[in-house]
Amino acid sequence: MSSVGLLYVGAVLFMNGLMLIGLVPGKSAAILNFFVGVMQVVFPTIILIQSNNDLSIIFGAAGLYLFGFTYLYVGILQMTGISGEGLGWFSIFVAVCAVVIGILQFTLVGDPVFGVIWLTWAVLWFFFFLLLGLGRDSLAFTTGWFTIFVAHITGTIPAFFLLTGRYETNNGYAVLVAIAAAAALAAAFFLGRRGIPRGKASHEGQALASA
């Protein structure tokens, strides 16, 4: 994933996390989802057209569509008020693909840091599946906080390392990212249980599903 695209993954995940915890209205978040979704559909399409069937380039571009379609889907749901079950079931597809891509980052690409990042995204999209596909509204606040943390751990911070030419990958750094992701998940569960009244959970659980 390009450094610029990764930076905006961080931005849109941060916005969607704020939406899930009730700080940003759905239609306001929809605008950024449209912008980033279009970017992450158009850019990989251009890359594929110019790839000359280079499998490494195709592999690098393919994962971008998973994000682009997710953000476009979120934007459409927010603007139309359509229920989010379809997005939820699409999210389990994304989660499985992210696991595969994460494993390939370890074995094929030789980038353990992004291996951990892709596996972290798999966990996040699995939460979207539970929340939207299975209607686990009680996870809305937890998912929101986890999304906020993951936005920076897997998007903003590595994007700036890439943009400044200081990105390095090895098993040691991968372990640090994994620890940060695990801590973020624990913190999200803690904040999710303490930070939202029971009666509000159902309302916030629909944040990605309706305007």
Side-chain angles (χ1 to χ4, degrees):
M1 181 176 292
S2 73
S3 54
V4 175
L6 191 62
L7 182 64
Y8 284 96
V9 166
V12 74
L13 286 178
F14 178 62
M15 183 69 70
N16 287 340
L18 293 176
M19 177 177 63
L20 277 170
I21 65 174
L23 294 181
V24 174
K27 288 186 177 180
S28 294
I31 297 171
L32 184 59
N33 276 277
F34 277 125
F35 285 159
V36 178
V38 169
M39 180 180 72
Q40 295 202 327
V41 169
V42 172
F43 286 1
T45 300
I46 295 172
I47 292 171
L48 290 176
I49 291 172
Q50 299 176 345
S51 68
N52 293 320
N53 293 321
D54 186 319
L55 290 179
S56 63
I57 295 176
I58 293 172
F59 174 74
L64 296 176
Y65 285 109
L66 298 172
F67 294 94
F69 290 149
T70 297
Y71 304 139
L72 287 175
Y73 211 145
V74 171
I76 291 170
L77 293 183
Q78 294 302 323
M79 297 305 295
T80 64
I82 298 172
S83 64
E85 291 87 352
L87 176 58
W89 285 96
F90 175 67
S91 294
I92 192 63
F93 173 80
V94 174
V96 172
C97 290
V99 169
V100 175
I101 295 174
I103 293 172
L104 291 175
Q105 292 290 328
F106 284 104
T107 60
L108 180 65
V109 180
D111 188 342
V113 169
F114 265 91
V116 173
I117 286 174
W118 274 100
L119 293 178
T120 303
W121 285 332
V123 175
L124 179 59
W125 259 254
F126 182 69
F127 269 88
F128 293 153
F129 164 67
L130 294 176
L131 178 61
L132 297 172
L134 299 185
R136 302 286 180 85
D137 292 341
S138 61
L139 290 174
F141 216 62
T142 296
T143 304
W145 279 111
F146 189 50
T147 304
I148 290 170
F149 296 143
V150 168
H152 303 303
I153 293 171
T154 68
T156 311
I157 295 172
F160 276 112
F161 275 107
L162 287 164
L163 287 167
T164 57
R166 296 186 177 183
Y167 175 76
E168 296 181 22
T169 183
N170 55 51
N171 291 333
Y173 286 131
V175 169
L176 290 178
V177 176
I179 292 172
L185 183 59
F189 271 109
F190 176 78
L191 292 169
R193 290 179 179 178
R194 293 178 59 87
I196 185 168
R198 179 179 296 272
K200 191 178 178 184
S202 179
H203 171 72
E204 299 302 344
Q206 300 303 316
L208 285 175
S210 60

